[in-house]
Amino acid sequence: MLNIFTVEMNYLAHLFLSEGTPESLIGNLLGDFVKGTAVNLYPEEIRKGIDLHRKVDSYTDSHAIVRSSKSLVSSQRRRFAGVLIDVFYDHFLAKNWLEYSEIPLRDFSQDVYKILQDNRDILPDSLQRVLPTIIARDLLSSYQEIAEIGITLTRMSARLKRTNNLASGIEDLTANYQRLESDFRDFFPDLIKYATVGKF
């Protein structure tokens, strides 16, 4: 995945797949923020969450359905295919949230924000800096809206140093919407089973 660790990254699926404890939620969020030996600074339960985040990423990247989704991304933006599909899948999870959870998305999001605020001191500086924006924008719930996905891609594009066309990736979502949603619906139960039953 491209090194775009910002408020705009996709975290909803990782948070959903955590075990629901504060430590697991934090760990699953930190997977993209904590590098190298820095993981050893955290308690065991948080480290487990970080490990699950990374294994979920590996499983997702190697899944045939996800590879099929990536093939739908325009050749002009193919280098961003992994980032785009991650964000698109979070959109479909947010849109269809109540098919997978008994807790309304807004309630789930508020619970996550409270846990992060309560544990702010142990979060990496980079995450502490963006946390107020995540909460103010209610980023997790906002992914239900296609317009928010467009805004997210534009902000991610601006974070890259080189000129790029990541922002126009919203065209790949709208042009292939039904196929991508179908791919997500086929893939996500596999991911839930992997994360829950534990194939690692």
Side-chain angles (χ1 to χ4, degrees), residues 104-158:
L105 178 56
R106 189 165 298 277
D107 292 347
F108 176 84
S109 300
Q110 294 303 316
D111 288 344
V112 169
Y113 302 149
K114 185 176 188 309
I115 289 170
L116 295 178
Q117 285 181 308
D118 289 347
N119 294 275
R120 188 177 184 278
D121 290 345
I122 69 169
L123 301 179
D125 290 343
S126 55
L127 181 53
Q128 288 189 31
R129 287 194 296 271
V130 298
L131 183 58
T133 304
I134 291 174
I135 296 172
R137 289 176 56 195
D138 190 8
L139 192 68
L140 297 177
S141 295
S142 73
Y143 267 34
Q144 297 174 90
E145 305 298 330
I146 294 177
E148 181 62 33
I149 301 303
I151 293 170
T152 289
L153 296 179
T154 298
R155 290 176 181 269
M156 290 174 70
S157 175

Side-chain angles (χ1 to χ4, degrees), residues 21-91:
T21 65
E23 294 80 10
S24 180
L25 282 165
I26 292 169
N28 273 276
L29 184 63
L30 294 188
D32 285 332
F33 287 90
V34 178
K35 298 300 177 184
T37 58
V39 68
N40 296 321
L41 299 174
Y42 292 93
E44 180 181 1
E45 291 305 310
I46 291 180
R47 294 200 306 271
K48 287 181 180 178
I50 294 172
D51 188 48
L52 176 59
H53 177 117
R54 293 173 178 173
K55 287 175 176 174
V56 162
D57 277 351
S58 294
Y59 178 81
T60 299
D61 290 342
S62 65
H63 200 286
I65 294 174
V66 177
R67 291 199 299 269
S68 177
S69 288
K70 289 178 181 178
S71 73
L72 299 175
V73 174
S74 167
S75 59
Q76 299 174 344
R77 289 179 291 273
R78 192 61 53 83
R79 66 183 291 251
F80 299 116
V83 172
L84 289 169
I85 297 305
D86 282 349
V87 174
F88 297 166
Y89 276 17
D90 257 14
H91 163 65

